[in-house]
Amino acid sequence: MKTSTLFSAVSFVLTFCSSSILAQTASGNVTAEIVANADADNIDLTVLGDTLDIVLTEIADTYENASVTDNSTTTTPSRRSLGRFGRFGKRNDPTIIDVHTHVVPSWYKKLVPVTGGNPTPNWDMDTYLAFMSSEGIAHSVFSFSAPGANVFQNSQVLTIALARLMNEQAAAYCRANPTKLSFYAVVPLPYTSAAITEANYALDVLGAAGIFLTSNFEGTYLGNAQFTPFFDAMNKRSDKQIFYIHPGTPYLKVNGKLVEANPTPYPTGNIEF
């Protein structure tokens, strides 16, 4: 497969960070645009019920609260003490790019109160940006963590709708902080056709830097032939795509139900690490 991996395409990310973020959308129009774009792709966001209004409000607030001027262009992140890794300090102007970090909007934490066997942590953008500054991180390429959009297992319509809103939220964070943030988009696998649609939308319209994939999607692993059309579609794109592979909870399908597959004494959320 010719699709680039994360670590062989870091240079693409660095270029993308500064040149491919879309212009910020006025907060008053953003929710209508999100709904219209979803309708155009035959995605019914209303299946999410009250969650839809909560997410759209948060996205609109993200735009509303964004600074008119991106302060990162006039400030320099403080350089952290590298300790035993100090040999890297010999480089001239060592820029730190964080390519494994997660965002957890409050609405997503309510949907996923436990992650990897542990309570899902609290998170907010101001604290996140302050952490980046304190650690000398110039840019972060973030994603949602596992389970990604697969919160409502065995529900195609809910998974597809949630994936779209997650990507819209991620794009809002990046547009509000264009020199500091980029994102990996989620896709609604195991629903292959919908995943292709969502990947293309996130990459072409929202400006995603790559695609976030878990090691399995509801018990179906990435090497399964069911996913071949998805990878073929990504390979046929003119740009080489970054796939960021993240461990997920292992599942077996038993009598049509998903059962956590963990024959070890270790926490299930750690098995595929």
Side-chain angles (χ1 to χ4, degrees), residues 4-11 99 242-244:
S4 300
T5 63
L6 169 63
F7 299 106
S8 66
V10 170
S11 60
V99 296
I242 298 171
F243 287 156
Y244 171 54

Side-chain angles (χ1 to χ4, degrees), residues 85-103:
F85 300 107
R87 65 184 182 276
F88 295 113
K90 296 179 181 180
R91 298 182 301 173
N92 292 326
D93 187 27
T95 298
I96 298 173
I97 308 295
D98 186 356
V99 296
H100 183 176
T101 186
H102 299 302
V103 295

Side-chain angles (χ1 to χ4, degrees), residues 101-110 112-115 118-128 131 173:
T101 186
H102 299 302
V103 295
V104 190
S106 58
W107 59 264
Y108 189 75
K109 180 180 178 179
K110 290 180 180 179
V112 187
V114 177
T115 303
N118 298 306
T120 301
N122 293 321
W123 180 93
D124 67 82
M125 181 57 70
D126 289 342
T127 303
Y128 182 52
F131 170 79
Y173 289 144

Side-chain angles (χ1 to χ4, degrees), residues 48-220:
L48 293 169
D50 292 341
T51 298
L52 174 60
D53 291 336
I54 294 171
V55 179
L56 291 179
T57 297
E58 172 124 354
I59 292 173
D61 288 346
T62 299
Y63 287 110
E64 185 69 26
N65 296 331
S67 299
V68 175
T69 302
D70 181 11
N71 292 329
S72 66
T73 61
T74 58
T75 60
T76 301
S78 60
R79 183 175 300 174
R80 63 181 175 182
S81 172
L82 297 177
R84 63 189 177 92
F85 300 107
R87 65 184 182 276
F88 295 113
K90 296 179 181 180
R91 298 182 301 173
N92 292 326
D93 187 27
T95 298
I96 298 173
I97 308 295
D98 186 356
V99 296
H100 183 176
T101 186
H102 299 302
V103 295
V104 190
S106 58
W107 59 264
Y108 189 75
K109 180 180 178 179
K110 290 180 180 179
L111 294 177
V112 187
V114 177
T115 303
N118 298 306
T120 301
N122 293 321
W123 180 93
D124 67 82
M125 181 57 70
D126 289 342
T127 303
Y128 182 52
L129 294 175
F131 170 79
M132 287 177 59
S133 179
S134 70
E135 297 300 303
I137 299 170
H139 197 94
S140 287
V141 190
F142 68 81
S143 67
F144 284 78
S145 189
N150 298 84
V151 175
F152 307 101
Q153 294 179 339
N154 292 320
S155 176
Q156 180 171 349
V157 293
L158 288 172
T159 303
I160 292 171
L162 185 59
R164 174 56 58 92
L165 287 185
M166 291 170 70
N167 288 331
E168 293 285 4
Q169 177 73 84
Y173 289 144
C174 292
R175 289 168 177 170
N177 302 277
T179 67
K180 296 178 181 179
L181 302 176
S182 299
F183 77 102
Y184 304 109
V186 298
V187 291
L189 288 172
Y191 312 107
T192 305
S193 178
I196 294 171
T197 297
E198 188 60 32
N200 287 331
Y201 177 80
L203 293 166
D204 296 335
V205 179
L206 299 182
I211 303 296
F212 170 89
L213 300 175
T214 48
S215 49
N216 77 88
F217 287 86
E218 301 186 13
T220 302

